[in-house]
Amino acid sequence: MHQLDQILSEVAGYFPSADLPLVRRAYQFAAQAHDGQTRKSGDPYVTHPLAVAQIIAELKLDVASVCAGLLHDCVEDTSATIEQLSELFGKEVAFLVEGVTKLGKLPYSTREEQQAENFRKMLLAMARDIRVILVKLCDRLDNMRSLNHLPPEKQERIAAETMQIYAPLANRLGIQWVKVELEDLSFKYTNPGEYEQLAHDVSKSRAERLEYIHSVEKLIQKEMIDNGVPCEVMGRAKHLWSIYQKMKRTQRPFEEIHDAIGFRVITDSQMHCYQALGVAHQTWTPIPGRFKDYIALPKPNLYQSLHTAVIGPRGERIEVQIRTSEMNLVAEHGIAAHWKYKEGSISSQAIGPDDKKFAWLRQLIESQKELRDPTEFLESVKVDLFGDEVYVFTPGGDVKALPKGSCPIDFAYSVHSSIGDHCSGARVNGMIVPLRYQLRNGDTIEIITSPNQKPNKDWLKLVKTARARTKVRWLLRQEQRDKAVLLGTDLLDKALRKHNTTLTRAEKQLKSAAQELKCMTVDELIIQIGYGKITTQQVLEKALPELAKKSDEPAVKAESMLKTLLRKVTRRTSSSGIKVAGEEDILVRFAKCCSPLPGDPVVGFITRGRGVTVHRRDCDKGLDLDPERRIDVEWDGNGTTQHEVAIQVLCSDKPGLLAHISQSFSDQGVNISQAHCRATEDGRAVNTFHASVKDLDQLKQVIRSLSRIKGVYSVDRVSADLG
C-alpha cells in the first residue's frame, strides 16, 4: 500500500480537489482482478498497474488517467468487462481503458498486422482523447523497465517496436524525459553489444565529466548574472542513445565526441532568452550552423527554446539551450503542461480542428483512412513520427513543417493532392530547382504545375512524407490495376470463348465462381486473374465444371492453377527454406534490395512466370508493390541455402585493423565472398563485405563481434545493391 499512498499524495499535490477515493477503489478492483497472477519477474501482477499509475502521476495527469493506469490490463487479462468498469468508475475511465486495450481477441495473419491494427485503434481513440496514448506510453515505459525478465527474442521485438513508435510518439507529445528513457532502454536490447561498450566508456569518464559540468554551470551563471540576465543553469550529459547516434552520424569513436554535454539556461522572459544568447556568443566562440531559434518558430509539439553550440571552457564543444521556465515545463511534460485543473476537473482533451498542437495527429488520422493495408499504414506512421524537421514558407508567408530530406513534391502534396499530382517543377527562393532538391530551413517554395504531369516511379525515391508516398503509390497502383483488368478480361474472355460462351452470357456463373474463390465481385475476380493470383482454369472449374472436366484444349491445360504456375518443374524438398501459402516446392527468389534472411519477417509478391519474390516486411521496394499481388510466405526452418548479406563497417584507417575484422568473420564461421574497402580523407575507412550467413541470428552474432573490435565505429546491415 506504500506505493498507492505515494500516488495519492502526488495527485493531491497538483490536483487538491481530486477524487482520491475513486483512485483507491480502482486499486482495490485491480488487486482483486489480478489476484493470483504474477509477472515474469515473479512479482504479483498488480505491481505493474501500480507502477503505471505512478508514472501517470509523475506526468501530473488527472484522476481518470490514474484510474485507467490501475485498470488498464483488467479487460485484457481478467474476466472484467468494459461495461463493468463503466458502471463502477464512470464512462470516462472505461473509455480510456478500452482505448489502451489491445485487439487481442481478433484473428490476424501476422504479428505486424496485429501491431498495425492495435496502433490504428489507439490512434482513433487518441483523436477523441489524447490521454489514451499517454496512459499507453506509461504502460510501455514500465514494461521496458522490466524487459530483462523476458526471452531475448521478445526483448528485441518489443524494444524495436518501442524505438520505432512509442519513443517518437513521446517526442511528438513533447514529453522529453519519457522519450529519453524509452530510447535508452530500447538501445539496451536492440544493440546490446554497442550499449554495453558505450555505457562502460561513459562510466569511466563519469567523475571527470561531473566535475566539468559543475565548474561550467558556475561559470555560465556568473557570466549571465554579470550581464543582467537572471537565470538558473543546469548541466547534463547526453543520454546514451543520443551519443551513439552522434557517433554513427560523425563516424567517430566515443573519445572523439566532444559535445556530449549540454547546458540549460532557464530565465524569466523571452527578452532575457535572447539576451542570454548574446552573452553566450560574446563569451565563447559560437560554432557556425548550430544555432536554432525554436522560440520564433516552435516545433509542432509547441516546444520552444534557443539552441546553440559554442567552444566552451577547456576548448570543449558544449550545447546550450535557453528558455523560460514556462517553456521548460512544456519541454519536460509536453502536452500535459497545457492542461489546467479547475473546479475539480481537467479541461477537455478533444482535438479541435484549429488546435495546432495536434496537426501531426490529424495527418496521421488522414493516413489511416487512406491506407487499408496494415503494414503500409504502420510504415507511414513511422515516417511521420520520426526524424528532424525543416521549416519552409509558402509564397504567402505561411510556415510548413516537413520531415528533414523532404523535396518540393512533399511540399506540393502538403498543400493539396491535385497540386502534388501535377507538380512539374519548383522555384525555391525565386530560383528554379530540380524535384530532387532537398528543402532547407527558411526556404520559400513555389510549385509549378502542368495538367499533363503525373507521378512516376522515380518520385517514390524522392519523397519523404507519408502523405506524398501514399498518393504516389495509389496512382501508380491504379495504373497497374487498370493493366490487370485489361489482361484479366482478355484471358477470361478467351477461355470462355473456347467453351462457346462469353463474359456476358456466363455472368451468373462467374458471380458464383467469384464467391467460391473468395472474391467480392466479378471485377475483383478479373483483377486477380490479371495479377496471376487466380487462373482461368480455376474459374472454369467453379463456373462451368462440366465443360472444364471435358476440356482437352492444350491451351487450357497449359494454364494451370497458381501452385503449378509457381511450382518448380521437378518436385523436391525446398532448399530455399520458404513456404508459400503452406507449400514447400514453389519457385522462390529473394529480393536483392533487402536480402531477407531466415528469421526476418517476410512477405511474398507474385510475378507472372517468375514465381514468388520474397521481401523483408519493412523493405521500401516491397511496400511500393501492389498489395493485391501479396501472398503469405514463411520460413519453414528446413532451408539449407546460405544467404548473401552486405555488412558495412566504419572504422579507423590503421594497420592491422582489417585483419582483425576478417578474423572476426572467420571466428563466427562466416565466409566473405566479396569486399570493398576504401580509406577516407579524415583517417577513416568504409568497408563493405558480402558474406554468406545461414540466418538472422548468425548475422547478429557477426555484428556484435565486429562492434567489439577497438577502432570500429559502427556496423550496419546494408542493401546488397548498395554494397
Side-chain angles (χ1 to χ4, degrees):
M1 292 296 287
H2 174 64
Q3 192 172 4
L4 177 63
D5 292 336
Q6 266 188 327
I7 294 167
L8 293 170
S9 173
E10 189 140 5
V11 173
Y14 63 80
F15 194 2
S17 57
D19 186 355
L20 299 182
L22 186 68
V23 177
R24 196 177 290 277
R25 291 208 318 274
Y27 165 73
Q28 290 165 349
F29 184 93
Q32 190 173 354
H34 292 295
D35 187 36
Q37 297 179 350
T38 56
R39 303 196 78 190
K40 295 292 184 184
S41 62
D43 295 329
Y45 193 88
V46 77
T47 57
H48 169 59
L50 268 172
V52 173
Q54 178 75 55
I55 300 167
I56 290 170
E58 287 172 25
L59 280 176
K60 296 181 169 50
L61 303 189
D62 62 340
V63 166
S65 301
V66 176
C67 289
L70 289 166
L71 300 166
H72 76 277
D73 274 336
C74 286
V75 175
E76 188 176 343
D77 296 335
T78 77
S79 58
T81 64
I82 289 294
E83 291 74 24
Q84 195 176 2
L85 296 186
S86 181
E87 187 179 329
L88 292 171
F89 304 102
K91 290 181 180 178
E92 189 178 16
V93 171
F95 173 78
L96 295 178
V97 172
E98 187 176 23
V100 177
T101 301
K102 294 176 187 170
L103 299 175
K105 295 176 183 176
L106 297 180
Y108 297 101
S109 57
T110 66
R111 187 188 298 280
E112 289 77 16
E113 186 178 335
Q114 183 175 11
Q115 180 195 44
E117 289 308 312
N118 283 336
F119 190 73
R120 194 193 294 265
K121 180 189 176 188
M122 279 195 299
L123 196 64
L124 294 172
M126 280 166 65
R128 288 176 57 192
D129 198 318
I130 199 69
R131 290 171 294 176
V132 168
I133 200 61
L134 294 174
V135 174
K136 181 61 184 176
L137 279 174
C138 297
D139 173 40
R140 179 52 62 110
L141 180 54
D142 185 62
N143 282 331
M144 289 300 297
R145 287 173 176 175
S146 54
L147 203 59
N148 58 306
H149 298 290
L150 295 181
E153 62 275 8
K154 278 195 172 183
Q155 290 176 347
E156 189 171 347
R157 175 175 57 78
I158 293 169
E161 181 185 70
T162 300
M163 186 71 87
Q164 291 169 352
I165 293 177
Y166 292 100
L169 262 176
N171 182 50
R172 277 291 193 178
L173 293 165
I175 314 167
Q176 288 305 302
W177 69 270
V178 172
K179 168 196 174 264
V180 163
E181 190 171 351
L182 287 175
E183 285 179 341
D184 275 359
L185 287 168
S186 300
F187 178 30
K188 181 178 179 179
Y189 295 104
T190 53
N191 304 79
E194 291 91 333
Y195 177 88
E196 286 171 21
Q197 183 62 52
L198 185 56
H200 174 71
D201 292 341
V202 168
S203 66
K204 275 199 308 185
S205 60
R206 186 171 183 272
E208 181 186 339
R209 196 171 63 253
L210 286 175
E211 183 274 325
Y212 181 78
I213 287 173
H214 291 321
S215 65
V216 175
E217 279 176 348
K218 291 176 185 174
L219 190 55
I220 293 176
Q221 183 107 32
K222 181 180 182 301
E223 290 292 337
M224 294 296 168
I225 299 298
D226 288 350
N227 284 276
V229 181
C231 69
E232 180 187 355
V233 181
M234 294 175 285
R236 84 215 187 291
K238 288 185 177 178
H239 64 294
L240 294 179
W241 176 247
S242 174
I243 296 172
Y244 179 68
Q245 290 294 92
K246 184 71 177 275
M247 288 166 61
K248 288 192 72 172
R249 194 165 56 247
T250 60
Q251 301 174 20
R252 295 176 185 273
F254 174 72
E255 295 76 22
E256 295 180 27
I257 300 295
H258 298 298
D259 53 350
I261 297 172
F263 293 87
R264 194 171 293 162
V265 178
I266 312 295
T267 185
D268 60 351
S269 69
Q270 200 172 113
M271 182 188 74
H272 279 138
C273 287
Y274 288 100
Q275 193 176 337
L277 177 71
V279 173
H281 284 183
Q282 177 184 305
T283 309
W284 298 287
T285 305
I287 298 169
R290 296 295 300 277
F291 169 64
K292 290 177 182 175
D293 187 345
Y294 293 119
I295 292 179
L297 285 172
K299 289 187 178 184
N301 59 19
L302 299 194
Y303 172 90
Q304 288 184 289
S305 191
L306 298 176
H307 289 196
T308 190
V310 298
I311 307 295
R314 306 180 199 172
E316 293 280 355
R317 292 181 175 218
I318 59 172
E319 291 191 350
V320 183
Q321 298 175 353
I322 304 165
R323 59 180 74 142
T324 66
S325 51
E326 289 82 6
M327 292 173 191
N328 192 54
L329 184 65
V330 172
E332 288 303 309
H333 291 281
I335 203 65
H338 295 281
W339 294 349
K340 307 296 180 191
Y341 293 90
K342 55 186 177 182
E343 297 174 6
S345 66
I346 153 180
S347 58
S348 172
Q349 301 313 309
I351 298 173
D354 301 320
D355 197 336
K356 292 180 182 178
K357 297 189 289 294
F358 299 113
W360 60 274
L361 181 52
R362 283 197 301 276
Q363 288 172 6
L364 283 185
I365 291 165
E366 277 182 34
S367 295
Q368 75 84 25
K369 286 178 183 173
E370 293 172 356
L371 295 172
R372 292 183 181 178
D373 180 59
T375 309
E376 193 177 336
F377 162 67
L378 204 56
E379 182 250 358
S380 76
V381 166
K382 291 171 188 175
V383 169
D384 276 355
L385 289 179
F386 252 139
D388 295 330
E389 290 171 312
V390 291
Y391 297 86
V392 295
F393 296 92
T394 66
D398 294 330
V399 180
K400 283 196 173 287
L402 295 168
K404 194 172 183 180
S406 292
C407 66
I409 302 168
D410 293 295
F411 177 85
Y413 275 109
S414 76
V415 176
H416 198 279
S417 296
S418 63
I419 293 176
D421 291 345
H422 300 292
C423 172
S424 60
R427 288 190 185 88
V428 173
N429 306 324
M431 297 180 66
I432 297 283
V433 297
L435 291 178
R436 66 176 178 274
Y437 172 85
Q438 291 195 359
L439 304 180
R440 299 169 189 160
N441 277 319
D443 282 346
T444 299
I445 323 294
E446 182 186 350
I447 298 299
I448 302 165
T449 59
S450 165
N452 299 321
Q453 179 67 47
K454 63 179 182 177
N456 59 62
K457 257 188 177 178
D458 291 337
W459 282 20
L460 289 171
K461 298 174 186 174
L462 305 177
V463 296
K464 278 284 180 186
T465 59
R467 181 179 176 83
R469 188 172 292 277
T470 301
K471 296 290 185 185
V472 173
R473 277 178 179 158
W474 186 86
L475 286 164
L476 292 176
R477 286 172 183 169
Q478 197 60 45
E479 282 185 23
Q480 289 181 358
R481 195 179 179 87
D482 292 344
K483 288 176 184 175
V485 168
L486 291 173
L487 178 59
T489 303
D490 185 49
L491 288 171
L492 187 56
D493 186 54
K494 284 179 180 176
L496 290 171
R497 285 184 185 281
K498 284 167 186 170
H499 295 290
N500 299 316
T501 187
T502 63
L503 284 166
T504 306
R505 291 206 295 267
E507 186 178 359
K508 189 175 179 182
Q509 293 96 319
L510 289 175
K511 280 182 182 177
S512 174
Q515 289 176 354
E516 286 194 56
L517 292 167
K518 297 181 180 177
C519 295
M520 298 292 288
T521 62
V522 174
D523 289 340
E524 188 184 336
L525 179 70
I526 288 170
I527 289 168
Q528 299 291 352
I529 294 169
Y531 281 132
K533 286 186 92 170
I534 294 174
T535 66
T536 54
Q537 181 66 14
Q538 286 175 279
V539 177
L540 290 175
E541 286 172 357
K542 300 292 182 186
L544 306 165
E546 294 306 313
L547 289 174
K549 281 177 186 174
K550 293 176 185 175
S551 174
D552 291 319
E553 291 289 340
V556 174
K557 286 182 178 179
E559 189 190 0
S560 56
M561 296 170 62
L562 172 63
K563 290 176 187 174
T564 310
L565 173 72
L566 303 174
R567 203 181 303 278
K568 294 182 179 179
V569 176
T570 49
R571 287 182 65 91
R572 57 185 173 84
T573 304
S574 170
S575 62
S576 69
I578 284 283
K579 283 185 184 178
V580 178
E583 294 291 322
E584 294 186 5
D585 54 350
I586 302 297
L587 179 60
V588 168
R589 51 193 292 272
F590 294 100
K592 287 187 177 180
C593 52
C594 56
S595 303
L597 298 175
D600 281 324
V602 287
V603 64
F605 289 90
I606 292 172
T607 311
R608 269 192 171 272
R610 297 175 67 190
V612 171
T613 303
V614 178
H615 290 261
R616 276 161 48 191
R617 277 195 174 270
D618 59 356
C619 173
D620 284 341
K621 287 191 179 178
L623 285 161
D624 290 340
L625 299 172
D626 198 320
E628 294 280 359
R629 288 169 49 202
R630 186 176 298 162
I631 190 167
D632 288 338
V633 298
E634 61 181 6
W635 301 103
D636 65 6
N638 300 321
T640 56
T641 308
Q642 288 279 312
H643 299 262
E644 187 175 276
V645 65
I647 302 170
Q648 191 173 78
V649 181
L650 301 174
C651 62
S652 60
D653 183 20
K654 64 180 184 182
L657 187 53
L658 188 57
H660 281 302
I661 291 171
S662 299
Q663 186 60 47
S664 182
F665 277 100
S666 181
D667 290 345
Q668 298 299 320
V670 172
N671 183 52
I672 298 172
S673 59
Q674 190 184 137
H676 178 70
C677 308
R678 62 181 175 85
T680 58
E681 293 178 359
D682 56 355
R684 288 167 175 72
V686 181
N687 311 292
T688 305
F689 301 96
H690 287 247
S692 298
V693 297
K694 62 181 181 182
D695 56 26
L696 186 61
D697 286 340
Q698 189 175 30
L699 173 64
K700 287 177 182 175
Q701 287 171 7
V702 171
I703 290 175
R704 288 190 191 112
S705 175
L706 292 169
S707 299
R708 293 191 182 104
I709 298 173
K710 191 170 179 61
V712 169
Y713 306 142
S714 67
V715 184
D716 293 291
R717 176 182 181 179
V718 294
S719 164
D721 287 349
L722 294 176

